[in-house]
Amino acid sequence: MNPLFEPIIDGIVTHGYGIVDDFLSLGEVKALANRLHERHIAGQFRAAGIGNQQILVENAIRGDEILWIDEATATPDETAFLQLIGEFVQYANQTCYLGLREFEFHYARYPAGTFYKRHLDQFRSDSRRKLSVICYLNIDWKETDGGQLALYLPDSDSNSERQLTIAPTAGRLVCFESGRLEHEVLPATRERLSITGWLKTG
Ligand code: OGA
Ligand code: MN
């Protein structure tokens, strides 16, 4: 069993979120970032959100481009990633009885200067989304590059909240309860890459 599964689950149970570094090795990050770039150059990415007349509205909310990872057309690196997530789902179900049945993941590419305003993942589209998972693919990311994930954590003994900012460094995984934690992607000074997905009940 992967020794990083336990600290992720432990974080979710105690704080509502889990963060681990080196969930992906540098080799895995490089391979997945290469696949992302190849697929981007091949024109496979689409602006995230909805299309048509809504694009202007959507751009004010989020500026990323995404590509869903399809098992049928996955490369070996992508298949290995999906397998790792499958093992994590199994572990999460065994330890927390979450009843997770399926998962969906997409690549996300935020061009420099783009962002994703404060939002809740579950509210947006799918109440079967239980856990949000983000794996970052940004090699040599520096604090000054920006692009942090901001989590808004409710403070239990007051009506206030606390903002936790997390740098999107290569190999880092962040996981949180999709229906509970509002969050935001802050603008970065360089392209920001990730694989983002949701673990869902059936
Ligand atoms: C999302 C999201 C966070 C991140 O895609 O819904 O909130 O850090 N992503 O990329
Ligand atoms: Mn989100």
Side-chain angles (χ1 to χ4, degrees):
M1 185 51 61
N2 189 310
L4 293 175
F5 292 169
E6 157 66 19
I8 300 168
I9 291 296
D10 189 54
I12 293 165
V13 170
T14 48
H15 311 107
Y17 65 90
I19 306 171
V20 298
D21 285 331
D22 304 312
F23 183 75
L24 300 176
S25 69
L26 190 57
E28 289 167 329
V29 168
K30 283 181 176 162
L32 289 166
N34 285 341
R35 301 294 85 73
L36 185 160
H37 281 129
E38 285 159 11
R39 290 183 179 283
H40 183 251
I41 288 165
Q44 296 175 4
F45 278 63
R46 294 289 172 267
I50 42 185
N52 307 332
Q53 317 94 303
Q54 296 273 15
I55 280 179
L56 279 178
V57 178
E58 283 291 310
N59 274 349
I61 299 169
R62 63 187 296 188
D64 56 325
E65 300 170 69
I66 67 164
L67 173 65
W68 289 99
I69 299 175
D70 179 355
E71 241 175 86
T73 56
T75 64
D77 308 302
E78 292 164 345
T79 301
F81 174 80
L82 296 175
Q83 259 161 21
L84 180 60
I85 294 295
E87 287 167 27
F88 176 65
V89 165
Q90 223 181 336
Y91 181 84
N93 278 334
Q94 281 162 6
T95 51
C96 295
Y97 310 103
L98 289 172
L100 303 173
R101 301 272 305 272
E102 32 182 286
F103 54 83
E104 55 188 6
F105 276 80
H106 63 59
Y107 285 116
R109 176 183 174 273
Y110 288 76
T114 60
F115 49 79
Y116 191 165
K117 293 283 191 199
R118 182 170 174 162
H119 65 280
L120 197 60
D121 283 348
Q122 200 178 60
F123 188 63
R124 240 181 74 230
S125 57
D126 191 342
S127 66
R128 292 178 308 157
R129 291 177 168 183
K130 290 297 168 245
L131 293 177
S132 303
V133 178
I134 307 137
C135 295
Y136 298 108
L137 306 179
N138 305 300
I139 293 159
D140 292 330
W141 195 267
K142 295 180 188 55
E143 200 57 45
T144 48
D145 293 329
Q148 295 93 344
L149 168 66
L151 293 181
Y152 294 93
L153 306 172
D155 195 338
S156 46
D157 38 45
S158 71
N159 287 329
S160 63
E161 61 182 11
R162 190 163 72 82
Q163 193 196 58
L164 175 72
T165 57
I166 303 158
T169 55
R172 175 171 282 175
L173 172 143
V174 180
C175 183
F176 55 86
E177 292 179 79
S178 309
R180 297 203 20 203
L181 279 195
E182 293 194 6
H183 55 282
E184 170 170 12
V185 177
L186 302 174
T189 58
R190 54 178 267 206
E191 180 186 69
R192 179 192 191 273
L193 309 177
S194 64
I195 299 186
T196 297
W198 294 273
L199 313 184
K200 299 160 64 163
T201 53

